[in-house]
Amino acid sequence: MTGNAAFFDPPESVRGMKVLDRNLFRKTVLIPGLAVPEKSIGKLAKSLKKEVLRFRSIKPVVELSAKDSLAKSHKLMLFNPLKIKSAEDFNEDQRTVLEKLNVVLSSFQFYSFDMNYDNWDHAEIIKAVLPEELEAVTGFAIVGHVAHLNLRDGADDYKNLIGQVILDKHRTLKTVVNKLKSIDSEFRNFKMELLAGEPDFTTTVKEHGCTFTFDFSKVYWNTKLGLAVPEKSIGKLAKSLKKEVLRFRSIKPVVELSVKDSLAKSHKLMLFNPLKIKSAEDFNEDQRTVLEKLNVVLSSFQFYSFDMKYDNWDHAEIIKAVLPEELEAVTGFAIVGHVAHLNLRDGADDYKNLIGQVILDKHRTIKTVVNKLKSIDSEFRNFKMELLAGEPDFTTTVKEHGCTFTFDFSKVYWNTKLGTEHNLVASQIKQEDTVFDVFAGVGPFAIPCGKKGITVFANDLNPDSYESLVLNVSKNKANHNSNVHCFNMDGRDFIKQIFSKEMERIWKDPSPKGTVHVLMNLPALAVEFLDSFVGLFNQSSCKPKDPNCLPYVHCYYFSKCENLEQDSREAVERVLGCTLDDSISIREVRNVAPGKEMMCIKFRVPESVLFKGNVETEGYALNCITCDSAADKECGDPFTANQEKYLVKCEPEETYCGKTVSTEDIRSRKYSVHFGY
């Protein structure tokens, strides 16, 4: 257990042992503990997980003494002795947790545990035995049932003990050998000596779907191969044999030769891909010609021993190795500032914390790893998440196309895959344009537009998104001309109140500039909000001077149909209740999942949609005052502001009174005109 080294180390009396005596590996440790009600064990272990004992061979929860009055209803929970030495070491927050779970500090006691040889692994035992000035021999390679070591200078007196310890601690091993430094000059294989176990060197190894059986004492097997190359020729040879040279992130392709090698002062050892070059015979004629020109002799071919460890593999390789073969490796994740977030696949739940820790270990800039849960907040559409590893710090900062965004990732929505889309849309909008961002989030569209001096009205229903939006507008100095206005409203209310008011102001302007863009980036729901535009101005006295004054809508939508464009168009037209003209633009934004595409539908909202129900633009009189009676047929005259004398129906009566009314009366709903569509 990290941090418990001195406390749980083997006894100091074994230092210098040269003949293994397992009976001397005995030590009694006193581990602090508290009596915990059985029903509260899980909750307390979770709340105090950093303090609870974690040591491979000692259970963190044990039985209380039979003499203890609480023995029938409680268990003894053990704690890290480097963090908790007495009841006084629990802080106020921890004491509050203990009190809520009915754990009393007066039950604090020490648990006596007798450690023996079985409680330590091979590395801990070898480190305890060797003299302190001698580096511990903990690394070795396994070839089938054979473990082979390269013992360091000074460890010779301890070699048989080291071999026996490794044999004891690894059930699959039957033989432990040490490679000697002398090399057979003819076959270039290392000689070896038996340290422990059976003298059985015929072993079987599996590699990349192939099985290899050989006598390890007579042939060479390794994953690293090389040639001694004159230093001045290294660059040329690396270029000429670039497909054969070793390329593995944690192993340099050129290393030093052994100091005992006669070429060590003038040459380096160049390593090759072991799947392509397994012996000197594997170099073809062209390659041999290159080697000869560069004064590289094939007789210098040798194997380089490299001890790989945790640091040598990346997160994807480690996770793939850990997960069962039938479970697809979880290698992909997105990084949002210092937070890495995953979408774990079904079946990976038992491995989720390990996966999180590996990702945390392998990426220095990451401090927090979370898993997105499948449930979605129905109101604000943000994913719930669980912490897998690292700090529970979800407030993060992201940079995107020259803008900085700060937000609490656990409370708002942010998608790293939409950066290109944000930049594309913002780049198409001109400085004289006006933007209404209905679902603005933390500002990925609004802020780059605001920085360009564009007038922006940005809205989001989520109060946390709104708070971050306001903060990010300020941080990015996007409002230096008071051109960015932020709102915390429902999308429909924003369209009906803010958008409609500003559109009337623009239409009243005798010389309006630019184009109006309405951004609706909520692909799961945005189409449903389009009904807010239907009849939005049916009581308005303002009208656009020409079609160019009508707003463009950029509506995002998820389509699962084979014909993406047709499905997207029909979804929009169905809500608007009209057929859009050919100026509509439909494009694919990104693939969200198999069979699911995110689409963007850009169109001008037709005047007939915005003014639907307005008698000045759409009404046709069913009866006019010049007709003889209400029973006469429709006259078909269009009803306009210049033709006020139409037969109307008084409210609440149902009869035709024939009264002449003004258009102002009609707008105020004092009367309702009979008209058709």
Side-chain angles (χ1 to χ4, degrees):
M1 179 177 68
T2 303
N4 286 339
F7 190 88
F8 288 108
D9 274 356
E12 185 60 31
S13 59
V14 302
R15 181 77 66 193
M17 178 186 292
K18 295 179 181 177
V19 177
L20 182 62
D21 185 347
R22 298 176 183 83
N23 292 324
L24 292 182
F25 287 86
R26 296 186 180 278
K27 181 177 182 178
T28 299
V29 292
L30 296 177
I31 306 170
L34 280 173
V36 180
E38 287 194 41
K39 64 180 181 180
S40 300
I41 288 173
K43 292 181 179 179
L44 185 60
K46 187 175 182 180
S47 299
L48 302 186
K49 60 182 178 181
K50 292 184 178 180
E51 287 70 35
V52 173
L53 180 70
R54 292 287 182 269
F55 191 78
R56 79 186 70 83
S57 57
I58 306 176
K59 295 180 180 180
V61 179
V62 296
E63 298 290 335
L64 282 164
S65 167
K67 297 179 181 180
D68 196 304
S69 61
L70 298 174
K72 292 184 178 180
S73 58
H74 289 58
K75 299 284 187 182
L76 186 64
M77 181 171 285
L78 306 181
F79 296 94
N80 184 333
L82 297 184
K83 293 185 176 182
I84 304 295
K85 297 181 176 64
S86 70
E88 301 301 317
D89 291 331
F90 291 102
N91 61 35
E92 288 302 317
D93 291 338
Q94 293 165 344
R95 291 183 180 217
T96 300
V97 171
L98 294 172
E99 186 176 348
K100 286 182 179 179
L101 296 175
N102 298 316
V103 180
V104 293
L105 287 175
S106 59
S107 72
F108 184 88
Q109 56 190 277
F110 287 95
Y111 174 70
S112 178
F113 184 82
D114 295 325
M115 299 184 71
N116 58 37
Y117 182 78
D118 294 335
N119 296 122
W120 292 286
D121 64 19
H122 76 271
E124 292 166 332
I125 291 175
I126 293 171
K127 183 178 180 180
V129 167
L130 295 183
E132 291 185 5
E133 67 275 9
L134 184 60
E135 186 178 355
V137 182
T138 57
F140 57 91
I142 296 177
V143 181
H145 67 263
V146 180
H148 68 93
L149 294 73
N150 290 315
L151 286 181
R152 297 175 175 85
D153 293 337
D156 198 58
D157 291 342
Y158 304 90
K159 62 185 181 183
N160 295 109
L161 179 147
I162 292 169
Q164 188 59 53
V165 171
I166 290 173
L167 193 66
D168 289 345
K169 298 296 179 176
H170 298 270
R171 295 181 181 179
T172 61
L173 295 181
K174 296 180 181 179
T175 307
V176 183
V177 299
N178 176 39
K179 284 188 176 180
L180 301 177
K181 293 181 180 179
S182 58
I183 303 173
D184 185 287
S185 59
E186 183 178 4
F187 300 122
R188 305 294 295 173
N189 58 308
F190 285 88
K191 293 182 179 180
M192 56 187 66
E193 60 180 336
L194 181 68
L195 298 184
E198 306 169 9
D200 177 11
F201 305 112
T202 300
T203 189
T204 298
V205 177
K206 290 185 178 182
E207 182 179 89
H208 301 290
C210 299
T211 301
F212 302 89
T213 299
F214 49 87
D215 185 332
F216 189 51
S217 67
K218 297 179 180 179
V219 303
Y220 195 88
W221 178 272
N222 205 317
T223 56
K224 314 296 179 294
L225 314 125
L227 279 174
V229 181
E231 288 194 39
K232 63 181 181 180
S233 301
I234 288 174
K236 292 181 180 179
L237 184 60
K239 187 175 181 180
S240 299
L241 301 185
K242 60 182 178 182
K243 292 184 179 180
E244 286 70 36
V245 172
L246 180 69
R247 291 286 181 269
F248 192 79
R249 78 190 68 81
S250 57
I251 306 176
K252 295 179 180 180
V254 179
V255 297
E256 298 290 335
L257 283 163
S258 167
V259 292
K260 296 181 180 180
D261 196 303
S262 60
L263 299 174
K265 292 184 178 181
S266 58
H267 289 59
K268 300 285 187 182
L269 186 64
M270 181 171 286
L271 306 181
F272 296 94
N273 184 335
L275 298 182
K276 294 184 176 183
I277 305 295
K278 297 180 174 63
S279 71
E281 301 302 316
D282 291 330
F283 291 104
N284 61 36
E285 288 302 318
D286 291 338
Q287 293 166 343
R288 291 183 181 218
T289 300
V290 171
L291 294 172
E292 187 176 349
K293 286 182 178 179
L294 296 175
N295 298 316
V296 180
V297 292
L298 286 176
S299 60
S300 71
F301 184 88
Q302 57 188 277
F303 291 92
Y304 174 70
S305 178
F306 184 85
D307 295 326
M308 297 184 71
K309 55 186 179 180
Y310 182 76
D311 294 338
N312 296 119
W313 292 284
D314 65 18
H315 74 270
E317 292 164 331
I318 292 174
I319 293 171
K320 183 178 180 180
V322 168
L323 295 184
E325 289 185 5
E326 67 275 9
L327 184 61
E328 186 178 354
V330 183
T331 56
F333 59 92
I335 297 177
V336 182
H338 68 263
V339 180
H341 70 92
L342 295 75
N343 292 314
L344 285 181
R345 296 175 176 86
D346 293 336
D349 198 60
D350 291 342
Y351 305 89
K352 62 185 180 182
N353 296 110
L354 179 147
I355 291 169
Q357 189 60 52
V358 170
I359 290 173
L360 192 69
D361 290 345
K362 297 297 179 176
H363 299 268
R364 294 181 182 178
T365 60
I366 293 176
K367 297 180 181 178
T368 306
V369 183
V370 299
N371 176 39
K372 281 189 175 180
L373 301 177
K374 293 181 180 179
S375 58
I376 303 173
D377 186 286
S378 58
E379 185 177 8
F380 301 133
R381 305 297 296 172
N382 56 307
F383 285 87
K384 293 182 179 179
M385 56 187 66
E386 60 179 338
L387 181 68
L388 298 184
E391 306 168 7
D393 178 13
F394 306 113
T395 299
T396 189
T397 298
V398 176
K399 291 185 177 181
E400 183 179 272
H401 298 291
C403 299
T404 301
F405 301 92
T406 298
F407 48 85
D408 186 332
F409 188 52
S410 67
K411 296 179 180 179
V412 306
Y413 186 83
W414 178 271
N415 193 325
T416 55
K417 297 177 181 178
L418 291 178
T420 301
E421 179 67 12
H422 298 152
N423 187 52
L424 173 65
V425 173
S427 66
Q428 293 175 345
I429 299 174
K430 300 177 181 178
Q431 186 175 2
E432 63 270 20
D433 293 347
T434 302
V435 171
F436 294 89
D437 195 348
V438 184
F439 312 109
V442 300
F445 285 121
I447 288 171
C449 288
K451 289 181 71 174
K452 290 168 62 176
I454 297 167
T455 299
V456 178
F457 296 86
N459 171 71
D460 203 275
L461 176 63
N462 185 344
D464 293 296
S465 295
Y466 169 75
E467 184 179 329
S468 297
L469 173 64
V470 173
L471 171 66
N472 292 327
V473 167
S474 175
K475 287 182 66 174
N476 288 277
K477 299 180 180 179
N479 198 27
H480 55 281
N481 292 325
S482 299
N483 55 306
V484 179
H485 313 276
C486 300
F487 302 88
N488 180 207
M489 304 171 67
D490 175 78
R492 283 191 172 85
D493 293 337
F494 176 73
I495 292 171
K496 292 177 180 179
Q497 297 174 30
I498 307 304
F499 169 75
S500 62
K501 178 182 176 182
E502 289 301 318
M503 285 305 301
E504 288 185 338
R505 183 188 62 78
I506 292 171
W507 288 341
K508 288 178 181 178
D509 190 330
S511 55
K513 297 179 180 179
T515 302
V516 174
H517 297 269
V518 182
L519 308 182
M520 302 180 71
N521 183 20
L522 188 63
L525 292 173
V527 167
E528 297 178 20
F529 282 76
L530 292 176
D531 62 3
S532 301
F533 295 103
V534 180
L536 182 61
F537 298 97
N538 65 2
Q539 297 182 54
S540 175
S541 59
C542 293
K543 290 179 62 178
K545 294 178 174 59
D546 62 69
N548 291 328
C549 293
L550 293 170
Y552 270 116
V553 168
H554 304 247
C555 183
Y556 291 84
Y557 172 67
F558 286 140
S559 177
K560 297 181 180 180
C561 294
E562 186 174 342
N563 192 326
L564 298 172
E565 289 196 14
Q566 181 180 338
D567 176 54
S568 301
R569 174 189 276 269
E570 289 178 353
V572 171
E573 292 178 341
R574 185 165 50 249
V575 178
L576 294 179
C578 72
T579 300
L580 297 172
D581 60 31
D582 292 337
S583 64
I584 184 174
S585 168
I586 303 174
R587 60 184 174 84
E588 297 178 33
V589 177
R590 73 181 189 95
N591 176 256
V592 178
K596 184 178 181 180
E597 297 289 334
M598 181 177 177
M599 309 295 292
C600 180
I601 308 106
K602 180 182 177 183
F603 60 93
R604 279 195 191 272
V605 185
E607 185 174 346
S608 61
V609 171
L610 295 172
F611 290 88
K612 191 169 188 176
N614 188 316
V615 295
E616 291 189 31
T617 61
E618 297 186 13
Y620 284 87
L622 295 178
N623 294 280
C624 66
I625 203 160
T626 58
C627 296
D628 293 336
S629 70
D632 287 342
K633 296 180 179 180
E634 301 174 13
C635 66
D637 290 341
F639 185 91
T640 69
N642 297 323
Q643 293 173 299
E644 297 181 348
K645 295 184 178 181
Y646 286 91
L647 189 64
V648 298
K649 181 174 69 176
C650 298
E651 300 290 356
E653 290 82 2
E654 295 296 328
T655 58
Y656 294 103
C657 66
K659 181 178 179 181
T660 300
V661 296
S662 68
T663 53
E664 193 61 40
D665 288 332
I666 296 170
R667 288 193 204 99
S668 66
R669 301 281 178 162
K670 187 175 180 181
Y671 297 92
S672 63
V673 176
H674 283 251
F675 56 88
Y677 293 96

